[in-house]
Amino acid sequence: MYQKTITVLFIVLAAILVYILPIESLEEAPRRCLAIFVMAALLWITEIIPLYITGLAILFAEVVFLNPVLKLPSETYFSPFFSNIIVLFLGGFVLADTLHKFRLDERISRMILHRLGSNPKTILLGLMITSAFLSMWMSNTATAAMMIALSLPIMRGIDADDPYRKALILGIAFACNLGGIGTPIGTPPNAIAIKFMSDHGIEISFMRWVIASLPIALILVIGAWRIILMMYKPKIQSLIIDTKTSEPIGVRQRLLLLLFLITIGLWLTTEIHGMASGVVSMIPIIVIFGSGLMGKSDFKNLSWDILFLMGGGLTLGVAIQESGLSDWVMSYINLSAFPQSATSAIVAFISGTMTSFISNTSTANLLMPMVIGIKGMSLTAVCMAVAWAASASMVLPISTPPNAIAYGSGEIKIIDMLKAGLIVTLFSLIIITTLGYLWWKVLGIV
């Protein structure tokens, strides 16, 4: 407790020192915002207090310290905490938790595994594609925990010295990270990117994001599969997977599956029916809790911490834009001489590097408000580059929750993840900034 208090005081002192620095070109509003930004960055990097509390601390500092200069309506800072994108994610959390409660996620994964045969290489690919698919719709943390648990019975028939054991664990973790790229609700950086683009007049629908992201996510998963197999070549020649389920699917599970499919259909067709994706997300929330499928205790156990973390990042982005801090920063960073593709690659590699040491949500929250001020650059390109790269960085156990779960299985060492993760991350960043950028141009979104 004493050490934590000292660290927090040090962070506050660092923010104050930034505020009083004699920078003549920095006016009062961006100066105060810079101090808040430094405080937020240090709190997120050190995780000395919970990340979601940092989100609330940002809001408090903006209203008390920044707004007396900007004099904006207080709703400007509060509204990001319940914006359309936050409700979209809330709906995704509710659906994912309900699928998990009624074990539909496990049924889906077993149904896919049942068709994989006995080839170890095919089984690994099937596990990775299943993990990636589930991570598109539910928490990659929950997906990784479930899929690694499902892989443990498979490993009982594998010798302790067979590299394939490590391949299974790493493959599942990496696929969970990469699969989240595929949909707006797959991972928080996606939602943060969409919100920043929306605030600047660029609307990316659910379907458009899927079209722009899913092919690249599939390439990344297949590439990661090949890399892992080359590094951890299996000795075992054949595997038998037990995919039997003890209970038949019930009426409530069928109705829940129908609701899940209807919600996905409405998310994918927002341009046709005109409802915002956040409005669509209210349908499963109302139906699931209104019908009693989930109760009050389930509501309390939703991932509110992630939503408050996202809200803190979004409101920080508002402050950075409104105060003029992003314009001030970009006036000293001249990337206009580079072509758009090169600039996109630069911000992607910065995002990937940052995510190796702090959470991908924190990376997106810190980096997104800054890069959108790059002159002469497609806003869509920089936002998507930051978001995708933040999900594609998987060098260390601290990089992403699936990595931490994989390391916690006891089947791999940090050096195993470092070697494979570094190569997969570099491969992913190269694909994102080459094929990804070309695909965006074909679609006309950059």
Side-chain angles (χ1 to χ4, degrees):
M1 183 65 183
Y2 176 77
Q3 184 178 4
K4 180 181 289 189
T5 302
I6 294 297
T7 304
V8 171
L9 290 175
F10 171 79
I11 290 172
V12 172
L13 178 61
I16 293 173
L17 290 175
V18 168
Y19 174 69
I20 63 177
L21 282 175
I23 306 174
E24 295 183 1
S25 61
L26 193 60
E27 297 180 357
E28 184 64 18
R31 180 184 296 274
R32 295 191 179 199
C33 190
L34 180 60
I36 296 172
F37 178 85
V38 169
M39 177 198 73
L42 292 175
L43 288 174
W44 273 328
I45 291 170
T46 61
E47 296 188 42
I48 196 67
I49 62 175
L51 297 179
Y52 58 93
I53 297 300
T54 298
L56 292 176
I58 293 168
L59 174 63
F60 178 81
E62 287 173 352
V63 174
V64 174
F65 185 60
L66 178 62
N67 204 45
V69 178
L70 290 181
K71 301 186 184 303
L72 297 172
S74 59
E75 290 80 5
T76 305
Y77 309 101
F78 282 91
S79 59
F81 281 85
F82 206 71
S83 59
N84 177 73
I85 207 67
I86 294 293
V87 181
L88 169 62
F89 243 77
L90 177 60
F93 286 155
V94 170
L95 273 175
D97 286 1
T98 312
L99 289 174
H100 184 67
K101 179 179 180 179
F102 289 92
R103 302 183 67 178
L104 273 174
D105 53 355
E106 183 177 337
R107 284 184 176 275
I108 292 171
S109 61
R110 288 184 182 276
M111 180 181 67
I112 296 173
L113 292 176
H114 181 68
R115 293 163 169 78
L116 295 181
S118 60
N119 187 311
K121 295 179 181 179
T122 305
I123 290 172
L124 176 60
L125 178 61
L127 284 168
M128 291 180 67
I129 290 178
T130 303
S131 300
F133 171 76
L134 292 175
S135 292
M136 290 167 55
W137 309 104
M138 57 188 289
S139 160
N140 59 9
T141 306
T143 301
M146 181 191 70
M147 293 302 296
I148 287 177
L150 286 176
S151 72
L152 293 179
I154 300 174
M155 288 193 287
R156 293 193 189 109
I158 306 173
D159 292 340
D161 62 344
D162 194 327
Y164 188 64
R165 296 173 69 97
K166 295 180 179 180
L168 284 174
I169 299 299
L170 290 171
I172 290 171
F174 291 176
C176 287
N177 295 327
L178 297 171
I181 293 173
T183 65
I185 64 169
T187 184
N190 296 358
I192 294 168
I194 291 172
K195 180 65 168 61
F196 274 100
M197 287 188 283
S198 177
D199 289 344
H200 290 77
I202 300 174
E203 298 296 334
I204 301 290
S205 67
F206 200 102
M207 173 66 90
R208 198 159 178 77
W209 182 279
V210 172
I211 293 173
S213 305
L214 188 55
I216 304 302
L218 183 59
I219 291 172
L220 296 181
V221 171
I222 294 174
W225 169 64
R226 294 303 306 169
I227 291 169
I228 290 171
L229 280 179
M230 285 190 293
M231 299 186 69
Y232 301 99
K233 189 175 181 179
K235 295 179 180 178
I236 193 168
Q237 300 298 313
S238 179
L239 278 171
I240 302 298
I241 304 178
D242 180 13
T243 57
K244 295 179 181 178
T245 54
S246 57
E247 300 176 358
I249 188 168
V251 175
R252 289 192 299 180
Q253 289 172 312
R254 294 179 188 273
L255 291 176
L256 177 58
L257 186 58
L258 178 62
L259 176 63
F260 179 61
L261 294 175
I262 290 173
T263 304
I264 292 175
L266 291 173
W267 274 334
L268 295 175
T269 55
T270 53
E271 293 179 340
I272 298 175
H273 55 69
M275 284 193 297
S277 54
V279 176
V280 172
S281 287
M282 295 176 69
I283 297 174
I285 297 173
I286 294 170
V287 171
I288 287 171
F289 286 102
S291 66
L293 285 172
M294 299 275 272
K296 186 176 180 179
S297 60
D298 297 308
F299 189 80
K300 291 179 179 179
N301 290 329
L302 292 173
S303 301
W304 296 106
D305 56 330
I306 300 296
L307 297 180
F308 276 93
L309 169 59
M310 290 174 60
L314 294 176
T315 192
L316 178 62
V318 170
I320 289 173
Q321 290 298 303
E322 294 292 343
S323 68
L325 178 60
S326 61
D327 292 335
W328 180 80
V329 171
M330 286 304 148
S331 68
Y332 287 92
I333 302 176
N334 184 18
L335 295 176
S336 59
F338 295 96
Q340 279 200 131
S341 57
T343 305
S344 179
I346 291 171
V347 298
F349 275 84
I350 293 173
S351 177
T353 302
M354 289 176 62
T355 306
S356 296
F357 304 101
I358 62 176
S359 76
N360 57 5
T361 306
S362 299
T363 294
N365 280 333
L366 292 171
L367 198 53
M368 205 80 69
M370 295 299 181
V371 299
I372 60 176
I374 298 175
K375 304 300 181 183
M377 181 66 187
S378 165
L379 180 63
T380 308
V382 292
C383 286
M384 295 189 75
V386 169
W388 286 13
S391 296
S393 181
M394 53 198 82
V395 177
L396 297 170
I398 62 171
S399 298
T400 65
N403 281 20
I405 292 171
Y407 178 70
S409 69
E411 291 289 336
I412 60 172
K413 299 178 180 179
I414 290 181
I415 190 64
D416 298 319
M417 183 170 288
L418 179 63
K419 290 189 298 184
L422 183 60
I423 296 175
V424 172
T425 297
L426 290 174
F427 166 78
S428 300
L429 293 177
I430 291 170
I431 293 297
I432 287 169
T433 55
T434 54
L435 289 181
Y437 186 80
L438 289 174
W439 181 233
W440 301 339
K441 288 185 74 70
V442 169
L443 296 176
I445 61 176
V446 297

